[in-house]
Amino acid sequence: MAAVRVQSIAGSGLTSIPSEFIRPVHERATIDDSTNAQIPLIDLADLDAPGYRGEEIRAQIGSAAREWGIFQVVNHGISEQLIQRLQSVGKEFFDLPQEEKESYANDSLSGVMEGYGTRLARNLNGNREWIDYFFHMLWPPSIRNLHVWPKCPSSYTEVNDEYGRALLQVLNKLILVLSIYLGLKGGGLKEALGGEDLEMEMKVNYYPPCPQPELALGVEAHTDMSAMTLLVSNQVPGLQVHKDGHWVTVDYIPNAIIVHIGDQLEILSNGKYKSVLHRSMVSKDKVRMSWAVFCTPPNNKVIGPMKELTNEDNPPLFNAKTYEEFKYRKINKLEQ
Ligand code: OGA
Ligand code: NI
């Protein structure tokens, strides 16, 4: 049975949302009731500068990963043009006629996540999320299933290939800094994540306008299973992160990349880096889109607190297991 897309529901002209999208009162949120605090904004222009200047930036990255588990970076080396092209090919896909998008439908119930999707399973409260998405593997090239990627617009593949390569450079820089901040050898953290086998997955999130945004959620509160997630969005704000008991709305900064620490970095660092709890809001009259790239170890990589970071006084806080097993347990809500 074909899934009813949130985009189709939104486009049908209703003025109140179907009941499965209505959140229990304690989960409801608007951008206005978040605090005015801001997540750290870090300028990477002088990241490799000698002396104090470079050191200061590297320390900002380490402490943001530790205190917040999320930060935004500018001057990261990816051009504004490339980010714009990434956004326009993604938008063009979602602007295609519905029938054409359906030819890319995934089959998440059978475990085939790649392609065009909508989460159908309700959560324990019977709720659904106000979002459709397109998901595909991005890196390394050997794990891509290019036949799944949108053929329209025709530049989709080329642009995403270019973005994936550019983003890997940013990721490598950040991992190196985060490795050294933990007191590890420079390459230590990257190696623990699988070295050159580290993977990236692209999820293009599409949040249609919602007639009752104050009752719904885009994605409900979660931490990412990845090691790190690198995200860009269009100009419509909506991402919120949880910090010290409050929700903080992430400001839109043109061309910034939002860096989330995910579960695998929290585990490897034995809790030093924090996997950030976050959620997203929807808007009454605007489409919100975001491009989340999940950076993950390969499935068979065993992830546990790094030996160099544990001792008698700092016992391991997490059990080691393969990334595949971690995902299985998290999706099925089993104890880790
Ligand atoms: C996600 C996510 C937030 C956003 O896809 O995991 O948290 O801003 N997205 O779209
Ligand atoms: Ni997320």
Side-chain angles (χ1 to χ4, degrees):
M1 191 189 67
V4 177
R5 306 300 173 182
V6 177
Q7 191 178 359
S8 305
I9 298 172
S12 67
L14 39 76
T15 52
S16 55
I17 58 176
S19 59
E20 69 262 34
F21 292 100
I22 301 177
R23 296 278 154 178
V25 174
H26 72 271
E27 276 190 59
R28 291 180 202 170
T30 62
I31 286 182
D32 302 334
D33 48 45
S34 66
T35 67
N36 290 324
Q38 265 306 303
I39 67 169
L41 173 61
I42 304 175
D43 185 340
L44 298 187
D46 289 336
L47 179 63
D48 298 320
Y52 176 72
R53 183 69 197 126
E55 249 164 57
E56 191 193 358
I57 296 167
R58 297 190 288 274
Q60 283 173 11
I61 293 171
S63 61
R66 205 177 161 142
E67 311 287 326
W68 283 80
I70 192 166
F71 50 97
Q72 317 210 42
V73 295
V74 290
N75 290 317
H76 40 61
I78 302 188
S79 71
E80 182 182 336
Q81 288 85 336
L82 181 53
I83 292 177
Q84 269 168 14
R85 281 159 67 218
L86 176 80
Q87 299 205 0
S88 46
V89 294
K91 180 174 181 304
E92 277 179 64
F93 173 80
F94 280 93
D95 286 345
L96 290 174
Q98 200 54 41
E99 317 81 73
E100 197 168 340
K101 291 199 288 277
E102 293 303 343
S103 68
Y104 297 90
N106 71 1
D107 188 2
S108 54
L109 296 179
S110 319
V112 180
M113 288 301 295
E114 284 192 285
Y116 176 49
T118 303
R119 184 121 73 108
L120 295 175
R122 297 175 182 214
N123 70 7
L124 293 174
N125 291 326
N127 278 144
R128 286 181 56 200
E129 300 174 317
W130 193 265
I131 181 175
D132 299 324
Y133 64 84
F134 199 102
F135 178 78
H136 59 78
M137 306 308 282
L138 183 64
W139 191 265
S142 59
I143 62 167
R144 293 173 176 169
N145 295 305
L146 287 178
H147 64 276
V148 179
W149 295 25
K151 286 174 194 54
C152 191
S154 56
S155 54
Y156 185 92
T157 298
E158 178 197 322
V159 170
N160 274 266
D161 176 59
E162 204 180 315
Y163 184 70
R165 288 171 198 275
L167 203 61
L168 183 62
Q169 305 307 312
V170 179
L171 177 68
N172 281 337
K173 282 188 209 172
L174 293 171
I175 291 181
L176 180 62
V177 173
L178 291 171
S179 189
I180 292 170
Y181 192 83
L182 287 174
L184 302 166
K185 285 201 293 280
L189 199 51
K190 175 96 189 265
E191 214 38 57
L193 289 167
E196 295 311 304
D197 293 332
L198 185 142
E199 296 179 3
M200 297 196 284
E201 307 164 345
M202 168 63 80
K203 184 169 169 244
V204 186
N205 292 315
Y206 185 91
Y207 304 94
C210 178
Q212 295 175 295
E214 66 289 351
L215 300 183
L217 278 180
V219 287
E220 57 192 35
H222 67 284
T223 60
D224 288 354
M225 293 190 277
S226 59
M228 259 199 256
T229 304
L230 303 184
L231 180 141
V232 295
S233 78
N234 71 357
Q235 70 289 355
V236 181
L239 175 62
Q240 290 191 332
V241 304
H242 200 245
K243 171 84 162 86
D244 301 333
H246 298 284
W247 288 98
V248 175
T249 300
V250 175
D251 267 354
Y252 168 72
I253 295 173
N255 303 309
I257 297 175
I258 298 169
V259 181
H260 293 68
I261 302 297
D263 298 338
Q264 306 313 306
L265 268 196
E266 179 170 278
I267 296 169
L268 285 169
S269 68
N270 201 31
K272 270 230 176 86
Y273 295 142
K274 201 167 77 187
S275 185
V276 64
L277 186 67
H278 57 286
R279 65 183 181 188
S280 56
M281 321 273 94
V282 291
S283 152
K284 190 169 175 79
D285 43 25
K286 296 195 182 76
V287 172
R288 176 162 194 270
M289 287 187 73
S290 68
W291 287 257
V293 173
F294 301 109
C295 309
T296 78
N299 276 332
N300 60 4
K301 186 76 185 167
V302 174
I303 303 289
M306 291 182 74
K307 298 269 179 304
E308 299 89 324
L309 302 178
T310 57
N311 54 39
E312 266 176 31
D313 299 328
N314 297 291
L317 302 174
F318 305 92
N319 293 320
K321 57 179 74 69
T322 64
Y323 181 52
E324 186 168 33
E325 187 178 349
F326 179 92
K327 286 189 288 187
Y328 176 82
R329 302 187 77 82
K330 184 157 175 172
I331 290 165
N332 293 290
K333 300 184 170 56
L334 303 171
E335 230 177 280
Q336 294 285 355

